[in-house]
Amino acid sequence: MYLPRNLVSHLYLQLLKSHHPLSPPVLILVALEPDALCACRILTSLLKRDYISHKIHPVGGYAHLTRAGEELVKPMRLRDGGSGGVVVCLGVGGLVDLEAILGLEVDEEGNGGCDGVDVWVMDARRPWNLSNIFGGAAAVLQNTQDQDGVLAKEPIGVDKGEVQRTFRQGKGGIIVFDDGDIQEELTRQRDAWFALEDMPEIEDVGEDVESDSEDEEEAGAGSDGSSVLKRKSWSDREEDEEGDEEEKENERPRQRRRSNSSTPIPSSPSFPDYRSSHILQSTPPSNQLSSPAKQAPPQPSAKSLRRKFLKLRQKHEETIRTYYAMGTSYSEPISSLMYSLASELGRDDNDLLWLSIIGVSSTDLYGRTSTGVSLTDHDHAATTFTGWIGTRGSRIRQMLRDEVRRLNPPELTETGHEVTRGMATDAIPTHARSPTDSSIRLSPEPRFLLLRHWSLYDSMLHSPYLSAKLHLWSDAGRKRLAKLLAKMGVSLVQCKQSYTHMDMDLKKDLRQKLLTVAPMYALDGLVPPPSSSHGGHDKEGWGFVRCWGWKACLSAADVAVIIGAMLEVGTHVPGTFQSGNGQLPTPRHSPSASNASSAEEVTATEEALERFYSAYDALLAPTALMHNIPLAQSLHRAILRTGTSLLQKRQLRNLRAFRMALVKEGPDVALFTNPGALMKLALWVGEAVKEVDKDDRKSKKKTRGGMPLVLGCINDARGVYVVAGLGGGGGAVGKSKEERQQKEKKRKEKEQLRTQKREEKQAAKRQARVNNGEDEEDEEEEIETEDESEASSGSDASDDESDNEETSGRALSRNRFGNAFQEVVEETSARVRLDSFEHCVVEVKKEDLSGFLESLSMKAVVG
């Protein structure tokens, strides 16, 4: 089931009304990422204000999620002695069937299920698992009868998976919070899902659809002897089916069943295969053998009905398979969705708004775009893209800027001149307005790193954007940076001291100088453009800054960088990384699992919990954030150091479908065994290589937006490689409304022309048969077969066109590494662990890496 965006507060209000002191606590399962962490902090703030008890449980992967389901979720069920309750999944489980992962599926005897456990799912990853949004029905159902009098089951207050206002929670079920994608984009998938649900059971013998062209030729041949045996085999099947049907006539009518075929295992989450889940049985008409009246129109044969049915079923199955095969992408961050919940409840304030801003700002650090984890051309995103990075992302960021203005109005003590000057100033704020100032302000943030807490030179040197644009991994790039600073009129002595201690005039004019110099070095988007509206109200691209009196002044991007470093590195002192730091727990199916002691697993789990709670407490604690700034600086020094080494030593190899690099040695190898840190390094290298390709006009490979990249890092302690796949990005991920309307108009015109030609052709054949005096029944059967074949081919062509339009229009270069990894695992004997919520990150045994990469190079890694 899914909760539409306009009812985002519906379930929370019901929880608030039904909660009492003896109610079980709300269980919150949180992913180890900044966006989910901010959403968790917003949710717990709401629960604390309403005196609702809750329990937070961090989850690091599918193995941890399965263990949490077995130890924490299943005991909550009524049949297991629990009292029911609510489980909230934040950034967890959107891509897999949660009923199977949490152990809440219904067994063959009809036992099990959610049974009083309501699971709320909020996840920005796509594609959704359709079992969660269109299945996951509540336990209490209302019995209704369809037009044929067949008993059906529909959840109370749910219409085709959509939760209505009459829905009441408490009986159990999977409920996905929709940010708008489901209602806007999954109409075809929803129709296909429920069409498969309502289909009767017919056995697919495998020859019905494949023999269409042969049957048409046989029907035209008439007396051809080759068709006798085939027709005889079909009649035998029809007689057997009629005999089976007579035996089943007295049985109770079959109730509609819910398909639950998506059952990925924790170590290898996979997408559902609907071909095996819908094995159907035919029900031929009872009047098939009776001779029709002379005036009555001939009835279609069971053979043609079966063929038509199987084609329709395969069409719906293909729609669902195409949706899963599109690759991964990202939609609205869940911290933004959680802030919408707070706004609906009237609980919005500066703290919750700041948390939402941090969560939204963190998506850029991890390359989370509408094309998955990939590179994106930010310079033209707002005008070209229609996904999260483009129009939709701009709309949400504009909403956040409006909220900042609403919740942080000018103080009454300020004069009109001061207010106007403060709105139009180009200076980057570095301190609060007063000792008690805790407001959020808009700031023209340049694309530097930790500017307020580093020197200007180091902030520019470690910026992933400038590193790629100026080629700062080389000596020539460093000289180019020094020349840029010289053109700005900033001496090396000034720019290498702390930014807060720089000359006041230099800091005041920094933005204007950057705007002047940026076009000379093709640094479009380095700083937000000047405001185009009167009074400075148009601040597209501006960042967010918050001060806590004289304690600290941090931008939202700075906080996201610090929190990410705390989750990936921990609270270790910089320069003391050990080989065991950042390890994931040893997988159960790994050959080394038997040799790993339980003490090591406990240590790894405790370390992950320590990282999570340290970052959780630091979100709204400026002192803790300032204390961990050296940690973030150390992480990005390691990224620059390792990325420079890979590029200078030319360790990148070009394979058929992607580039590849391996981190095998160096002082920072242990650091990049964490998937988050490895992904940041991959983004740094990918941006640099993309700019090299763009500058090299003689390159034979003219890629659009950069080639995909596979980056691996060895973990000697466990004998595995952590491998991350980064999509190349590039290309528009959406079309304008006018273009979509024009394509739809052309498709309808083609369909009308196809229908007209088919009718003319049928009329000509009918007239020819009448002139020849052929049998009407054979005529009608052949016309039905031909009509069905042409109609299905036309619909398939239009569907393929629509699918291609959807794939090429919305997601030209989506990250398909998760699908490719799964295909390699199924085809080879490589020992691979797919445990991360990021399906583009896997662990491969050191001995199997070469074969794994060889097979991966033959797959489509972007779609």
Side-chain angles (χ1 to χ4, degrees):
M1 299 177 288
Y2 68 94
L3 183 71
R5 184 66 179 264
N6 59 345
L7 298 179
V8 66
S9 62
H10 181 67
L11 297 181
Y12 187 89
L13 291 176
Q14 290 189 20
L15 173 65
L16 183 60
K17 293 178 181 178
S18 61
H19 186 77
H20 53 82
L22 298 181
S23 297
V26 176
L27 177 61
I28 306 175
L29 304 178
V30 194
L32 300 178
E33 56 190 32
D35 183 31
L37 188 67
C38 294
C40 177
R41 193 64 189 263
I42 296 175
L43 178 59
T44 53
S45 299
L46 297 177
L47 295 175
K48 288 178 181 178
R49 295 181 187 181
D50 294 322
Y51 300 99
I52 298 177
S53 58
H54 55 276
K55 177 182 179 181
I56 303 174
H57 185 80
V59 180
Y62 287 112
H64 290 172
L65 183 59
T66 303
R67 191 180 308 120
E70 188 69 27
E71 299 175 358
L72 301 176
V73 180
K74 288 183 67 176
M76 296 172 60
R77 298 191 300 182
L78 300 177
R79 66 177 64 252
D80 293 331
S83 303
V86 175
V87 178
V88 183
C89 297
L90 299 177
V92 170
L95 303 181
V96 295
D97 185 2
L98 276 176
E99 286 189 351
I101 291 291
L102 298 178
L104 303 178
E105 69 273 20
V106 180
D107 56 20
E108 298 179 355
E109 300 179 356
N111 299 324
C114 294
D115 195 17
V117 179
D118 294 310
V119 182
W120 301 355
V121 184
M122 302 180 192
D123 200 346
R125 296 180 179 88
R126 302 292 182 271
W128 285 114
N129 187 284
L130 299 182
S131 298
N132 295 332
I133 60 178
F134 300 137
V140 174
L141 305 171
Q142 57 182 2
N143 294 333
T144 60
Q145 288 188 350
D146 57 14
Q147 298 177 355
D148 301 329
V150 179
L151 188 64
K153 290 188 174 182
E154 297 180 357
I156 299 176
V158 178
D159 180 21
K160 287 190 174 182
E162 181 180 351
V163 173
Q164 308 292 321
R165 292 187 180 275
T166 57
F167 176 79
R168 295 293 178 267
Q169 69 172 357
K171 304 302 180 181
I174 308 293
I175 306 173
V176 173
F177 280 62
D178 179 24
D179 61 354
D181 285 354
I182 299 176
Q183 286 188 320
E184 295 176 2
E185 302 178 3
L186 298 187
T187 303
R188 294 178 61 252
Q189 288 76 9
R190 179 181 61 185
D191 295 341
W193 174 277
F194 286 101
L196 291 172
E197 289 288 311
D198 295 340
M199 285 184 175
E201 294 191 351
I202 275 188
E203 182 181 1
D204 187 355
V205 295
E207 299 179 357
D208 298 345
V209 180
E210 296 176 359
S211 60
D212 287 349
S213 59
E214 299 176 2
D215 293 342
E216 292 176 5
E217 295 176 359
E218 293 166 1
S223 59
D224 188 1
S226 63
S227 64
V228 176
L229 293 177
K230 186 177 290 292
R231 291 183 179 275
K232 182 177 180 180
S233 63
W234 276 111
S235 61
D236 292 341
R237 289 194 187 103
E238 293 170 6
E239 292 175 1
D240 295 340
E241 291 165 359
E242 290 170 1
D244 295 340
E245 178 65 22
E246 291 176 359
E247 295 177 359
K248 297 180 180 180
E249 284 181 354
N250 297 328
E251 296 181 2
R252 60 178 295 184
R254 181 180 298 272
Q255 296 181 350
R256 296 179 187 172
R257 59 184 176 84
R258 176 186 175 277
S259 174
N260 188 19
S261 59
S262 175
T263 54
I265 59 177
S267 61
S268 179
S270 60
F271 295 131
D273 183 5
Y274 290 91
R275 180 180 296 274
S276 62
S277 63
H278 295 277
I279 305 299
L280 309 175
Q281 300 260 337
S282 99
T283 309
S286 58
N287 59 349
Q288 180 180 345
L289 299 179
S290 61
S291 59
K294 294 183 179 180
Q295 281 84 11
Q299 297 292 331
S301 63
K303 176 181 175 181
S304 62
L305 288 176
R306 177 194 296 272
R307 188 162 51 242
K308 182 183 295 186
F309 175 84
L310 291 177
K311 282 189 175 182
L312 181 61
R313 190 182 73 180
Q314 288 186 358
K315 172 187 173 183
H316 294 319
E317 291 174 347
E318 185 64 25
T319 299
I320 295 177
R321 277 194 294 267
T322 302
Y323 172 69
Y324 285 132
M326 290 174 63
T328 59
S329 62
Y330 280 87
S331 187
E332 179 180 351
I334 57 177
S335 56
S336 173
L337 183 63
M338 194 61 69
Y339 181 76
S340 299
L341 171 62
S343 299
E344 288 286 334
L345 298 173
R347 311 286 180 80
D348 46 346
D349 57 22
N350 257 355
D351 287 342
L352 301 188
L353 176 60
W354 181 243
L355 292 171
S356 177
I357 292 172
I358 295 172
V360 172
S361 302
S362 67
T363 57
D364 294 336
L365 300 176
Y366 294 91
R368 297 184 173 182
T369 69
S370 300
T371 57
V373 181
S374 60
L375 307 176
T376 303
D377 188 0
H378 292 266
D379 301 338
H380 307 286
T383 58
T384 304
F385 298 164
T386 59
W388 159 242
I389 281 296
T391 305
R392 190 172 185 180
S394 299
R395 186 170 62 249
I396 293 176
R397 287 182 171 88
Q398 182 60 45
M399 181 272 295
L400 294 176
R401 286 191 288 269
D402 293 341
E403 287 291 294
V404 169
R405 296 187 182 98
R406 183 178 68 87
L407 296 177
N408 300 270
E411 297 182 2
L412 297 178
T413 57
E414 295 182 357
T415 64
H417 175 70
E418 291 174 344
V419 173
T420 304
R421 185 182 60 183
M423 294 176 60
T425 182
D426 291 339
I428 301 173
T430 57
H431 58 274
R433 297 170 179 171
S434 66
T436 59
D437 180 23
S438 61
S439 62
I440 304 174
R441 287 182 282 173
L442 299 179
S443 171
E445 294 291 307
R447 298 179 69 173
F448 300 160
L449 188 71
L450 299 173
L451 176 61
R452 295 169 181 81
H453 319 288
W454 226 336
S455 66
L456 177 61
Y457 184 84
D458 286 332
S459 178
M460 298 175 71
L461 180 65
H462 294 87
S463 167
Y465 175 80
L466 280 182
S467 295
K469 290 288 186 178
L470 300 180
H471 300 184
L472 296 182
W473 61 86
S474 62
D475 293 336
R478 302 289 177 95
K479 294 178 181 179
R480 194 177 295 114
L481 176 60
K483 188 175 181 180
L484 183 147
L485 291 170
K487 288 185 177 182
M488 291 173 55
V490 182
S491 65
L492 291 178
V493 177
Q494 282 277 348
C495 66
K496 288 188 177 182
Q497 65 181 354
S498 177
Y499 180 78
T500 56
H501 298 154
M502 283 180 60
D503 185 81
M504 293 295 295
D505 293 334
L506 289 177
K507 291 191 291 184
K508 182 178 179 181
D509 299 334
L510 177 62
R511 179 170 180 263
Q512 190 60 40
K513 291 181 179 181
L514 290 173
L515 287 172
T516 303
V517 176
M520 303 178 186
Y521 293 87
L523 299 178
D524 299 331
L526 177 62
V527 288
S531 178
S532 59
S533 63
H534 178 70
H537 292 283
D538 181 16
K539 296 186 177 181
E540 182 69 28
W542 284 42
F544 305 88
V545 175
R546 190 179 189 187
C547 298
W548 289 266
W550 308 136
K551 293 182 180 179
C553 185
L554 295 163
S555 69
D558 294 343
V559 178
V561 169
I562 298 170
I563 294 298
M566 295 178 68
L567 290 173
E568 295 152 12
V569 180
T571 56
H572 301 284
V573 179
T576 60
F577 300 117
Q578 302 297 328
S579 59
N581 295 338
Q583 293 185 20
L584 291 175
T586 302
R588 297 179 180 179
H589 58 278
S590 173
S592 61
S594 58
N595 300 328
S597 62
S598 58
E600 294 178 353
E601 297 183 1
V602 171
T603 302
T605 303
E606 291 179 351
E607 184 179 354
L609 291 176
E610 180 184 357
R611 294 179 181 181
F612 175 84
Y613 287 114
S614 297
Y616 180 86
D617 295 334
L619 270 175
L620 294 177
T623 305
L625 291 173
M626 297 294 292
H627 178 72
N628 286 280
I629 286 177
L631 185 69
Q633 293 174 342
S634 177
L635 172 61
H636 285 275
R637 287 194 187 99
I639 291 175
L640 177 63
R641 189 163 49 241
T642 307
T644 300
S645 175
L646 290 175
L647 294 175
Q648 288 183 345
K649 295 180 179 179
R650 300 183 181 275
Q651 294 183 352
L652 272 75
R653 302 178 183 177
N654 290 334
L655 300 184
R656 177 179 177 273
F658 52 83
R659 288 187 174 93
M660 181 202 68
L662 297 178
V663 181
K664 298 181 179 180
E665 56 186 9
D668 309 307
V669 173
L671 179 63
F672 296 110
T673 56
N674 183 280
L678 182 63
M679 190 59 66
K680 287 182 178 179
L681 176 61
L683 288 168
W684 191 97
V685 175
E687 289 281 359
V689 174
K690 185 181 75 170
E691 292 300 325
V692 171
D693 289 343
K694 187 182 298 184
D695 295 341
D696 187 7
R697 298 182 178 180
K698 297 181 181 180
S699 177
K700 296 181 180 180
K701 292 188 176 182
K702 298 181 180 179
T703 57
R704 189 178 184 183
M707 282 189 67
L709 173 68
V710 173
L711 186 63
C713 181
I714 191 171
N715 189 336
D716 286 323
R718 295 176 48 205
V720 299
Y721 274 93
V722 182
V723 180
L726 178 67
V733 298
K735 295 181 180 296
S736 64
K737 185 177 181 181
E738 292 76 10
E739 291 177 345
R740 292 195 299 268
Q741 290 177 350
Q742 291 178 0
K743 282 190 172 291
E744 182 67 18
K745 183 178 179 180
K746 291 181 180 179
R747 188 186 66 82
K748 290 182 178 180
E749 292 177 354
K750 289 182 180 179
E751 187 176 352
Q752 291 177 358
L753 182 61
R754 191 183 298 113
T755 303
Q756 183 179 357
K757 289 183 179 180
R758 186 171 63 250
E759 292 177 353
E760 293 176 355
K761 185 177 180 181
Q762 291 178 356
K765 286 192 175 184
R766 188 181 295 107
Q767 185 64 31
R769 286 184 174 275
V770 170
N771 296 337
N772 296 333
E774 296 183 1
D775 188 14
E776 295 181 357
E777 182 176 356
D778 294 339
E779 171 192 352
E780 185 68 25
E781 180 177 351
E782 182 175 352
I783 291 177
E784 286 177 359
T785 304
E786 183 177 351
D787 188 10
E788 173 196 339
S789 177
E790 293 184 4
S792 61
S793 63
S795 62
D796 292 343
S798 62
D799 290 338
D800 293 340
E801 181 180 349
S802 177
D803 292 341
N804 293 335
E805 179 180 331
E806 180 180 2
T807 303
S808 62
R810 281 209 332 267
L812 270 178
S813 302
R814 283 193 177 185
N815 190 323
R816 293 194 69 256
F817 274 102
N819 305 60
F821 289 156
Q822 189 70 34
E823 293 172 3
V824 172
V825 170
E826 294 173 355
E827 296 174 2
T828 66
S829 58
R831 291 165 292 180
V832 181
R833 185 192 188 201
L834 298 91
D835 185 64
S836 174
F837 295 134
E838 294 288 355
H839 285 193
C840 59
V841 178
V842 295
E843 293 180 356
V844 186
K845 289 294 293 184
K846 183 165 55 175
E847 298 81 5
D848 302 333
L849 181 66
S850 59
F852 175 82
L853 293 176
E854 181 180 358
S855 299
L856 184 65
S857 64
M858 306 303 295
K859 303 297 180 182
V861 295
V862 293

